[in-house]
Amino acid sequence: MHLSPTRRQPTGGSSSSPPSSPSARYSTVAPRPTTRLPFEGEEDDDEDEEEETGSRAGDGGKGGGGDRHTRHVQVQALVEKRILNLDYIRRVHDGGQHWLSTVVLSKATIQRYIETEAPPSRPLVFFHLGLSLAKLLDALPPPRPSSLLSEGGGGRLREQEEREDAEACTALLRALAQIFEEMEYHTASGAAQAVKLFLAKPSESPYPEQTPADPNEPINPRIYRFGSDVVFESFFSPHIPFQLDYLEVLDGLCHTLALMYQAIGHHAESLKREAALFDALVKIDVKIKHHIINPIAKELTDVTARLAKLELEGLREGWR
């Protein structure tokens, strides 16, 4: 049984890749890897990383000075690391790059990997995810200069700026968490969808996005249903009547995610002050790793290992 959600579909012309520049107000240049590997120190177990990161950041509501400093450092490191990861994945798929300083993956090798090993459903899922993220980015207000939150301005003005930034950060993380919750429902098996439908929260409208969430409520993404139908709040899944180009879709998604991480970085002060917001960011980052970065990294590592083995066997034959 496949339970299809209902929601308004986006209008406008179709494209073979997610919008790659949804907002010019965020820098579109991702940092280039220098001497260290973009995936150096990555953990396979996302849940362990989430638990470890959360414990290092401290547990209290707003935390003490030490906890705030730790969260501030971790937010900066997380944003930088993920942008490096995404940029590296994009460049490797262009062909002619070493994967983790081992074997060069040519364009032909990448194309063969896409045709034989990458899941056939991935381009469409990634397209829907990139489209949803791009629409979220496009709706964001212009970023507040960090100097306004870190310098000057006394009393009430500074408190108002901090409150507005925290509300904007909460809205962004809430929408991100909701996108991935709905994407997981959309890509789940029929049995898993049936369970999620049973646990879905009733909605008074077929358009739950029109009912604004209370900014004081904790970030807790849920699946909504209107009557017996699941309705999506943030995830867009239009029908695409043609085959999508894997490389174009992946490039657009990585670019859009990099912009998203940069947008998150603009709220570093709020993430530093509020432990709950930091914890929400960690959970979202774990989902991005689980659904995008880790599967691709594992597949490319397997391809590289096989190529390295063939090259070593060729060397052995040459020495006989």
Side-chain angles (χ1 to χ4, degrees), residues 156-169:
R156 294 182 178 177
L157 177 60
R158 179 177 176 81
E159 290 179 2
Q160 179 181 352
E161 290 174 346
E162 290 179 349
R163 183 171 60 254
E164 290 175 354
D165 186 74
E167 290 176 355
C169 182

Side-chain angles (χ1 to χ4, degrees), residues 71-297:
R71 286 196 291 269
H72 184 71
V73 171
Q74 289 182 337
V75 167
Q76 291 180 322
L78 176 63
V79 169
E80 177 186 357
K81 184 176 184 179
R82 290 296 170 252
I83 291 176
L84 285 171
N85 291 161
L86 295 163
D87 179 64
Y88 188 55
I89 287 175
R90 290 176 65 192
R91 291 189 296 113
V92 167
H93 279 80
D94 286 340
Q97 295 284 338
H98 286 82
W99 177 249
L100 301 182
S101 300
T102 53
V103 177
V104 175
L105 299 179
S106 65
K107 287 187 176 181
T109 300
I110 291 294
Q111 191 61 42
R112 188 162 55 251
Y113 147 72
I114 292 171
E115 293 172 355
T116 61
E117 299 190 37
S121 61
R122 180 177 289 169
L124 183 59
V125 174
F126 278 10
F127 177 84
H128 288 158
L129 177 60
L131 176 64
S132 304
L133 293 173
K135 285 183 171 291
L136 173 59
L137 266 176
D138 199 48
L140 293 180
R144 182 188 300 274
S146 58
S147 59
L148 294 181
L149 295 174
S150 58
E151 301 176 0
R156 294 182 178 177
L157 177 60
R158 179 177 176 81
E159 290 179 2
Q160 179 181 352
E161 290 174 346
E162 290 179 349
R163 183 171 60 254
E164 290 175 354
D165 186 74
E167 290 176 355
C169 182
T170 301
L172 172 59
L173 295 180
R174 191 189 305 279
L176 278 173
Q178 189 66 28
I179 284 174
F180 281 96
E181 182 74 15
E182 293 172 354
M183 186 193 76
E184 289 174 345
Y185 171 88
H186 183 67
T187 57
S189 64
Q193 284 188 342
V195 173
K196 289 179 178 289
L197 176 62
F198 178 76
L199 300 174
K201 183 178 181 180
S203 173
E204 298 179 357
S205 166
Y207 309 112
E209 68 273 16
Q210 295 181 351
T211 304
D214 185 349
N216 297 318
E217 289 185 0
I219 297 175
N220 183 27
R222 295 284 302 273
I223 295 298
Y224 292 90
R225 60 179 174 84
F226 181 71
S228 59
D229 295 324
V230 167
V231 289
F232 283 172
E233 178 181 352
S234 303
F235 184 73
F236 291 83
S237 55
H239 172 66
I240 307 297
F242 53 86
Q243 186 174 2
L244 295 166
D245 185 287
Y246 182 100
L247 292 174
E248 289 292 330
V249 171
L250 179 62
D251 184 85
L253 177 61
C254 289
H255 184 83
T256 304
L257 280 169
L259 291 177
M260 185 63 67
Y261 274 102
Q262 290 176 6
I264 290 171
H266 287 296
H267 298 291
E269 290 296 317
S270 293
L271 292 164
K272 176 182 72 174
R273 289 192 305 269
E274 302 287 346
L277 293 180
F278 178 84
D279 291 342
L281 170 60
V282 170
K283 292 178 180 178
I284 292 168
D285 180 70
V286 165
K287 288 183 179 292
I288 291 173
K289 279 189 59 183
H290 176 73
H291 291 292
I292 303 162
I293 295 176
N294 283 359
I296 293 176

